[in-house]
Amino acid sequence: MPNQSVLPPLGLYIHLPWCERKCPYCDFNSHERDTIPEEAYIDALLADLEREMVGVQDRPLDSLFIGGGTPSLFSPRAIARLMDGVRARLVPAETFEATMEANPGSAEAERFAGYFAAGINRLSLGVQSFDDALLHRLGRVHDSRQARHAVQLARAAGFENINIDLMHGLPGQTIELARTDMETALSLQTTHLSWYQLTLEPNTVFYKRPPTLPVENTLATIQDEGEALLAEAGLLQYEVSAYSQQGRECVHNRNYWSFGDYLAIGAGAHGKCTFEDGRIVRYAKLRQPDAYMEASEIGQRVSERALSDEDKIGEFMLNALRLNAGFSQTLFEQRTGLPSTVIAQPMERLGQRQLIEIDEGVIRTTALGRRFLDSVVGEFFSD
């Protein structure tokens, strides 16, 4: 078994599973609930972290990401207790990034200063659109005014690093409406924009009762115009759906895409950990929040698997090829524990088709390769 002499950066993902209302497009592990058992859930999270930190407590924690659900339904006091518990168990790196997802609704926005005081230093706002009619079709509980105001409140609370989540290809969205959405988002001058197309995922309301979506030609024009506006505003694309100011890339998500490690706590959370003996293990937690809390004393993993060499190759490529800058052959070897020769044949095939290029040991997709990314990645999976 290969020796893992250089361990990847370490992140921590925390899942807070409750939301005010389940959106018809959402396939995340989120659950509607009128009242949230904050104390019991934080107890379960910290008990979970006690187990997950065994063997990694000497590694610095580079990033933390609190996702959901709607994490901003939790009170600042609960988030402060959670952050204190994390810091008592793991040592944050000097450049530690702590991201929390939040809704732009008025009730959540009033809490921003408390989250900042608790140690959250990056806020990700789930705006999705600035058009009230489109927001209604998406089942969102905020309006355009609240979305714009939320950015102002976040800045006033102390946040300098703010992401806006923006979707396109929405039901009834025209090229003009998509352009207005992008222009509005850019006018707010946040440091990061996550911009992605709506997809109809299984086990969602939209999948069962599909809405009418823009046609392919419209989608292509929206993509082209949006990319031009982003470039003009100085937001650089560093991943398929991620754009940022220079130096403001999301540390936590870059770690995912670079095949880094991340502990995972919370209902339905998924984690990945690399060990010095070369093993790379993926695991998942119980999805139902009540069951997760009830099992907090005995552990909540419902699946755990060590990656085969074939898994390591495929999963590394599935993530790293999303990065515009690509990756070095050295990084591949460090993250997988495998020699770069194991990817030589598919690399040669893709190079001949002008889908991948290699420049001084750095591997990246070409512009053509990014258009057919699924096909490119498929070359590295044995089946």
Side-chain angles (χ1 to χ4, degrees):
M1 184 172 287
N3 178 50
Q4 209 79 28
S5 57
V6 180
L7 293 174
L10 181 68
L12 170 64
Y13 177 73
I14 304 174
H15 194 73
L16 307 187
W18 291 288
C19 58
E20 184 176 345
R21 186 169 70 198
K22 182 88 169 177
C23 297
Y25 59 85
C26 178
D27 68 334
F28 296 146
N29 184 35
S30 58
H31 306 263
E32 294 183 14
R33 186 159 177 165
D34 293 332
T35 58
I36 296 174
E38 288 187 341
E39 291 299 318
Y41 195 70
I42 300 297
D43 286 344
L45 288 173
L46 295 179
D48 197 358
L49 183 57
E50 284 282 348
R51 285 182 295 273
E52 293 302 336
M53 62 181 276
V54 174
V56 302
Q57 59 263 49
D58 294 331
R59 295 168 64 179
L61 186 65
D62 288 273
S63 65
L64 170 151
F65 196 104
I66 304 177
T70 304
S72 53
L73 292 178
F74 275 65
S75 68
R77 182 185 57 79
I79 297 300
R81 182 179 168 225
L82 175 60
M83 294 294 290
D84 288 344
V86 170
R87 286 188 290 258
R89 292 164 174 81
L90 297 169
V91 179
E94 288 186 12
T95 55
F96 179 62
E97 177 194 86
T99 300
M100 179 174 167
E101 293 180 337
N103 266 3
S106 298
E108 292 97 325
E110 290 174 358
R111 304 169 181 237
F112 290 171
Y115 300 143
F116 186 77
I120 303 298
N121 56 23
R122 183 176 183 272
L123 202 64
S124 182
L125 297 172
V127 172
Q128 314 311 353
S129 176
F130 291 94
D131 183 278
D132 287 342
L134 294 179
L135 287 169
H136 178 73
R137 291 171 197 159
L138 290 174
R140 303 297 290 172
V141 295
H142 67 272
D143 59 28
S144 176
R145 183 196 60 79
Q146 290 173 322
R148 294 191 300 271
H149 189 48
V151 176
Q152 297 170 354
L153 290 176
R155 285 204 179 95
F159 288 99
E160 297 178 357
N161 201 359
I162 302 170
N163 171 64
I164 287 176
D165 265 7
L166 193 69
M167 298 172 71
H168 61 93
L170 307 179
Q173 188 177 48
T174 63
I175 294 169
E176 292 73 19
L177 288 174
R179 184 189 306 119
T180 300
D181 257 0
M182 178 60 74
E183 289 171 344
T184 303
L186 293 174
S187 74
L188 297 171
Q189 298 182 321
T190 57
T191 53
H192 194 285
L193 195 68
S194 296
W195 186 55
Y196 47 94
Q197 182 180 324
L198 171 67
T199 56
L200 305 186
E201 302 292 346
N203 301 316
T204 65
V205 172
F206 273 2
Y207 190 82
K208 296 172 184 174
R209 297 190 294 275
T212 301
L213 301 179
V215 298
E216 287 298 323
N217 287 346
T218 299
L219 292 172
T221 302
I222 289 173
Q223 185 75 36
D224 290 343
E225 288 197 6
E227 289 178 355
L229 288 168
L230 285 157
E232 183 180 337
L235 292 183
L236 307 177
Q237 184 183 31
Y238 66 97
E239 187 269 343
V240 171
S241 59
Y243 303 77
S244 76
Q245 295 177 0
Q246 187 73 40
R248 291 293 197 173
E249 299 89 349
C250 178
V251 173
H252 191 84
N253 286 340
R254 275 196 71 103
N255 191 39
Y256 286 155
W257 298 320
S258 300
F259 208 52
D261 283 353
Y262 45 98
L263 305 180
I265 59 175
H270 289 248
K272 168 186 173 285
C273 197
T274 304
F275 298 91
E276 291 182 351
D277 62 5
R279 287 180 302 125
I280 299 177
V281 174
R282 287 199 182 276
Y283 60 87
K285 301 298 176 67
L286 286 166
R287 287 178 57 85
Q288 291 298 322
D290 289 340
Y292 173 84
M293 288 186 287
E294 289 171 6
S296 64
E297 297 304 318
I298 58 174
Q300 299 93 351
R301 288 190 180 185
V302 291
S303 68
E304 181 177 325
R305 66 183 179 94
L307 302 187
S308 66
D309 288 351
E310 290 77 13
D311 292 333
K312 294 175 186 178
I313 295 168
E315 292 192 19
F316 178 93
M317 291 298 182
L318 178 67
N319 288 282
L321 287 174
R322 293 177 64 92
L323 294 168
N324 285 29
F327 61 92
S328 68
Q329 291 171 312
T330 299
L331 184 73
F332 173 84
E333 293 176 348
Q334 289 176 342
R335 293 289 192 267
T336 65
L338 302 171
S340 59
T341 52
V342 299
I343 58 172
Q345 289 186 359
M347 287 294 305
E348 183 178 355
R349 292 194 299 269
L350 291 165
Q352 290 172 350
R353 293 161 57 191
Q354 298 184 326
L355 297 173
I356 272 184
E357 59 187 11
I358 306 177
D359 182 16
E360 297 183 353
V362 174
I363 298 166
R364 64 175 66 89
T365 52
T366 62
L368 180 64
R370 282 192 290 275
R371 288 180 56 195
F372 298 98
L373 187 58
D374 288 348
S375 297
V376 172
V377 169
E379 290 286 332
F380 297 96
F381 284 89
S382 58
D383 57 355

